[in-house]
């Protein structure tokens, strides 16, 4: 193990800003990509459901 | 003999992709956790760069991925042009945003690594500049596609742009050999032993595999959205259980 304390770990030998700045933005961007895609899928499904209902009503 | 054309039908592909996504996502998570553990807790401090070098466990995988995705995108674009298959164009479109994201992350983590080690966030050297061009290629591909209303024509126009842009990939890869760059040469190559400690290499490869699996999961998610959006009139879509419930 490289670290003797949590504060030493977070300091990253003085490179904390750079290391954590890289990690946090990477995780955040990939998470946002996932959330946006989940929303896009819901929107597409809602649109299709609406059309399906409409079709059924017209077919009556 | 596998009937590849059967799998190129969105109707067949959609449920298969849906089953595969959770697996890719789970494997990506496991690999990323393992890679981070190796990178932050097992890999030793670097003799020259101290703890700052740990950015490598993010920077190298996202940079590799930014190039791989472009090649795969161009491959699907070419298949789409040759066989005129709908799904190929959708695959290319599904990969582009993720490729752009990895390219941005490569530039971002690179800047945060460059500042403490080189003393500068950005420099117009061959490696950095060609990677920036890659970002513009992805953005150009997406802008061109969204500017054309007819999706099949948008696919074709995008495919031509994607194929022309492939020339940039070897330029990025070999830039550190062809030109005198501030960016260091490759630490890992196919022709010689890696110039880094084994445990560092293990961490980097775990993260690279995690990036592959993430890309597989997220681009299958996006291709399923594209199928729903483009084929919304098709009868089979209305029979899906997520529509019926």
């Amino acid at each position: 193990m490289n670290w003797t304390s949590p504060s030493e770990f977070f300091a990253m030998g003085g490179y904390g800003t750079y290391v954590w700045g890289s990690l946090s933005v990477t995780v955040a961007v990939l998470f946002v990509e996932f959330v946006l895609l989940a929303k896009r899928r819901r929107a597409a499904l809602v649109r299709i459901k609406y059309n399906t209902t409409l079709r059924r009503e017209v077919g009556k | 003999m596998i009937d590849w054309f059967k799998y190129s039908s969105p109707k067949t592909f959609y449920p298969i992709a849906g089953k595969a996504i959770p697996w890719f996502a789970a494997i990506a998570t496991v690999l990323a956790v393992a890679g981070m553990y190796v990178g932050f807790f097992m890999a030793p401090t670097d003799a020259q760069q101290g703890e700052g070098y740990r950015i490598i466990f993010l920077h190298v995988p996202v940079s590799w991925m930014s190039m791989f995705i472009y090649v795969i995108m161009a491959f699907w674009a070419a298949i789409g042009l040759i066989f005129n298959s709908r799904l190929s164009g959708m695959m290319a479109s599904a990969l582009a945003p993720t490729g752009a994201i990895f390219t941005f992350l490569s530039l971002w983590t690179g800047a945060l690594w460059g500042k403490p080690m080189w003393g500068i966030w950005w420099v117009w050297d061959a490696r950095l500049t060609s990677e920036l061009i890659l970002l513009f290629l992805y953005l150009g591909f997406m802008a061109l596609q969204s500017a054309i209303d007819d999706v099949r024509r948008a696919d074709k126009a995008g495919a031509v742009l994607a194929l022309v842009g492939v020339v940039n990939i070897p330029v990025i890869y070999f830039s550190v050999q062809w030109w005198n760059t501030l960016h260091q040469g490759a630490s890992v190559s196919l022709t010689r032993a890696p110039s880094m400690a084994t445990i560092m290499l293990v961490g980097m490869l775990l993260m690279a595999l995690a990036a592959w699996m993430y890309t597989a999961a997220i681009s299958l998610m996006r291709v399923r959205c594209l199928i729903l959006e483009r084929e919304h009139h098709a009868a089979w879509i209305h029979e899906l259980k997520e529509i019926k419930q």
Side-chain angles (χ1 to χ4, degrees):
Chain A
M1 192 67 82
N2 301 301
W3 321 100
T4 52
S5 71
S7 60
E8 197 185 311
F9 177 69
F10 289 115
M12 274 289 144
Y15 294 106
T17 317
Y18 305 105
V19 174
W20 302 124
S22 296
L23 182 63
S24 57
V25 170
T26 302
V27 172
V29 167
L30 297 183
F31 181 71
V32 167
E33 182 184 23
F34 173 78
V35 170
L36 289 179
L37 265 183
K39 282 178 84 171
R40 182 173 169 183
R41 175 174 167 80
R42 274 199 300 277
L45 288 176
V46 164
R47 183 182 159 198
I48 295 166
K49 274 181 191 171
Y50 176 76
N51 286 344
T52 314
T53 322
L54 210 63
R55 220 186 254 190
R56 220 172 279 143
E57 295 296 320
V58 170
K60 266 181 190 167
Chain B
M1 188 60 189
I2 304 169
D3 182 6
W4 293 106
F5 284 100
K6 186 183 143 209
Y7 292 104
S8 73
S9 135
K11 183 186 172 182
T12 322
F13 187 77
Y14 182 91
I16 297 174
K19 287 202 185 78
I21 290 167
W23 290 98
F24 283 126
I27 299 169
T29 310
V30 170
L31 287 170
V33 169
M36 299 283 270
Y37 182 78
V38 171
F40 281 98
F41 295 103
M42 287 172 74
T45 308
D46 186 70
Q48 286 171 19
Q49 304 197 354
E51 310 297 351
Y53 93 94
R54 291 184 199 277
I55 294 174
I56 200 173
F57 297 111
L58 294 166
H59 180 71
V60 172
V62 298
S63 307
W64 278 346
M65 217 60 228
S66 70
M67 294 188 282
F68 285 138
I69 290 178
Y70 196 92
V71 174
I72 305 166
M73 183 180 101
F75 167 79
W76 284 117
I79 296 289
L81 282 180
I82 296 164
F83 295 106
N84 201 22
S85 45
R86 280 174 300 167
L87 191 59
S88 316
M90 293 191 227
M91 292 291 262
S93 308
L95 285 160
T98 303
I101 285 170
F102 277 118
T103 310
F104 162 76
L105 288 173
S106 167
L107 295 169
W108 176 265
T109 55
L112 282 169
W113 201 359
K115 182 63 182 170
M117 301 307 164
W118 302 337
I120 190 164
W121 300 103
W122 178 263
V123 54
W124 291 101
D125 90 349
R127 175 54 75 79
L128 280 70
T129 308
S130 54
E131 184 74 10
L132 184 65
I133 291 170
L134 182 67
L135 180 62
F136 293 151
L137 280 169
Y138 279 122
L139 297 179
F141 175 88
M142 286 153 64
L144 179 64
Q145 284 212 316
S146 63
I148 302 173
D149 287 334
D150 180 343
V151 287
R152 303 301 303 278
R153 293 188 69 176
D155 280 348
K156 289 210 169 97
V160 174
L161 175 65
L163 286 170
V164 172
V166 169
V167 72
N168 189 43
I169 297 296
V171 172
I172 299 174
Y173 188 79
F174 291 110
S175 57
V176 288
Q177 295 173 27
W178 292 346
W179 292 285
N180 205 352
T181 58
L182 192 53
H183 195 286
Q184 68 188 68
S187 305
V188 180
S189 84
L190 295 173
T191 47
R192 55 184 173 75
S195 58
M196 63 196 302
T198 311
I199 192 70
M200 293 180 188
L201 185 67
V202 168
M204 218 168 78
L205 292 179
L206 282 170
M207 293 301 279
L209 285 172
W212 268 105
M213 293 297 117
Y214 172 85
T215 303
I218 208 86
S219 49
L220 287 179
M221 269 181 78
R222 192 174 286 109
V223 88
R224 268 161 61 96
C225 284
L226 285 165
I227 292 173
L228 288 176
E229 289 161 6
R230 289 191 187 184
E231 314 260 313
H232 61 92
H233 53 272
W236 69 269
I237 293 258
H238 298 270
E239 298 302 317
L240 286 171
K241 77 172 186 304
E242 53 260 55
I243 296 294
K244 282 191 154 175
Q245 63 190 207

